Amino acid sequence: MVNYNGHKDTIECVTSLRKINYSNYKIIIVDNSSSDSSGEILKRKLSHCKIIESKKNLGFAGGNNLGIKYALDNKADYVLLLNNDTLVEANFLNNMINSFNVDNRIGLVGCKIMYYPQKNIIWYGGGCIDWFRFIGDHYGMKEIDQGQCDREKEIDFMTGCCMLIKREVFEKAGLLSGDYFMYFEDVDFCVKVKNTGYKIWYNPKAIIYHKVGFSSGGEESPFSIEWGTRNRFIFMNKYKNNVTMFNFILSKIFFYSTRFIRYFQYILSRKKDKANAIIKGLRK
């Protein structure tokens, strides 16, 4: 997991991990050049974990890649990417590991993710890539859980909040793309996994809870808006050949028109910081 100025969340996450009923694992924490002494605090309070301190903030992809490389160098069979602002159920990892027995072509396994502390509301119940909007779409998001996302199945998109990945997938698909810094690297990685012939699998019996957006100020913080705008544009251009040229042009028109509408909505509601974040994202 990657930590940036969030040692309290990281410690709480590790506390929940130490209660799981799967024993053969090691915890690697990458401190992404925090400015709040997180590295020292984590080394002191989580001495049983491997703490890697990055000299600069490498973003989500870069931070995770440091941990992935360490895990692979130390002969890990699987690597679990887990957001530090999560809490886990005791059997989540057992259930995710068991999913690889369903089909030997499964290379990446995801889980069901609920909001925290609203544990009855779904944040992620499986997902797909929407090739018109060029985003990773969450099934069941913000819906009260009534079992609508409880079918185990193959999917196209798993959020980087929690991914369990076979070692061989990294050997064939590579690491997370460094193009994005924050957001969309998980969508990009899922495309690469599928393109190398592996399946992505959703297991709803594996459940975790997500303090959504804590590390970036919330789901609609200026930070999230800026980087989400910038990286969606990059993702669109990188994978434009996945759709016809006509559809890509329509997608671009939709993208710019919705950013334009959102910009004026923020201006009219006196949320200039969010309006400016859209402009910054388009300029990057």
Side-chain angles (χ1 to χ4, degrees):
M1 66 182 73
V2 175
N3 176 84
Y4 178 71
N5 291 347
H7 58 87
K8 291 181 180 178
D9 283 329
T10 299
I11 292 168
E12 192 173 357
C13 181
V14 169
T15 299
S16 73
L17 282 169
R18 297 195 74 183
K19 297 175 183 177
I20 66 174
N21 51 27
Y22 186 90
S23 59
N24 188 20
Y25 71 95
K26 294 180 181 178
I27 300 173
I28 303 164
I29 300 168
V30 176
D31 183 66
N32 230 349
S33 191
S34 294
S35 59
D36 67 348
S37 303
S38 278
E40 291 301 317
I41 293 169
L42 294 176
K43 283 194 290 186
R44 186 172 69 251
K45 294 194 173 184
L46 300 178
S47 57
H48 58 287
C49 301
K50 172 64 180 178
I51 311 294
I52 300 172
E53 292 186 271
S54 175
K55 293 182 180 179
K56 65 177 183 178
N57 187 346
L58 300 173
F60 182 86
N64 272 298
N65 285 341
L66 278 183
I68 292 167
K69 289 174 186 176
Y70 179 87
L72 297 179
D73 287 345
N74 285 271
K75 301 180 179 180
D77 296 313
Y78 303 90
V79 178
L80 176 75
L81 306 186
L82 183 67
N83 273 23
N84 71 317
D85 58 351
T86 59
L87 301 172
V88 303
E89 291 281 0
N91 63 351
F92 94 106
L93 191 51
N94 260 338
N95 285 321
M96 293 179 83
I97 289 286
N98 289 339
S99 290
F100 287 105
N101 297 323
V102 174
D103 186 330
N104 60 13
R105 291 174 295 171
I106 294 173
L108 190 160
V109 173
C111 64
K112 186 177 183 181
I113 306 175
M114 310 299 290
Y115 279 92
Y116 185 86
Q118 301 88 357
K119 292 185 174 183
N120 65 327
I121 300 177
I122 299 167
W123 183 69
Y124 175 90
C128 66
I129 297 176
D130 182 333
W131 286 109
F132 177 69
R133 295 186 295 158
F134 281 81
I135 62 170
D137 200 14
H138 293 211
Y139 299 147
M141 189 175 187
K142 297 184 179 179
E143 296 176 5
I144 294 175
D145 186 11
Q146 297 177 322
Q148 67 269 45
C149 296
D150 282 356
R151 184 169 68 87
E152 197 169 346
K153 60 184 178 181
E154 183 180 0
I155 55 175
D156 293 324
F157 164 67
M158 178 62 209
T159 168
C161 178
C162 183
M163 289 180 170
L164 183 62
I165 307 152
K166 272 184 184 176
R167 176 190 188 90
E168 64 192 62
V169 171
F170 293 113
E171 295 169 353
K172 295 179 181 178
L175 301 175
L176 300 181
S177 172
D179 293 338
Y180 302 97
F181 185 77
M182 188 81 172
Y183 305 125
F184 277 87
E185 54 281 285
D186 51 359
V187 192
D188 185 285
F189 187 70
C190 287
V191 176
K192 293 198 297 183
V193 170
K194 298 281 284 188
N195 286 347
T196 50
Y198 289 100
K199 291 183 177 182
I200 301 172
W201 198 254
Y202 168 68
N203 189 337
K205 294 178 182 176
I207 298 172
I208 70 170
Y209 305 94
H210 189 198
K211 307 168 189 175
V212 175
F214 273 31
S215 60
S216 58
E219 287 182 275
E220 276 211 24
S221 67
F223 180 93
S224 299
I225 293 168
E226 178 181 341
W227 285 98
T229 300
R230 179 247 194 201
N231 291 340
R232 184 172 164 190
F233 183 78
I234 292 174
F235 180 77
M236 289 177 76
N237 288 326
K238 187 173 181 179
Y239 291 105
K240 62 184 179 182
N241 291 333
N242 281 46
V243 299
T244 65
M245 180 57 67
F246 177 74
N247 285 340
F248 181 67
I249 291 170
L250 289 179
S251 294
K252 273 291 186 75
I253 293 170
F254 177 80
F255 173 74
Y256 280 111
S257 61
T258 52
R259 294 316 90 196
F260 179 81
I261 292 168
R262 184 66 61 86
Y263 173 82
F264 280 101
Q265 285 175 335
Y266 286 141
I267 289 293
L268 292 172
S269 59
R270 297 182 180 180
K271 297 176 181 177
K272 290 186 178 180
D273 56 341
K274 295 184 178 183
N276 290 335
I278 292 176
I279 301 301
K280 288 179 181 178
L282 292 172
R283 284 177 177 170
K284 284 196 173 188

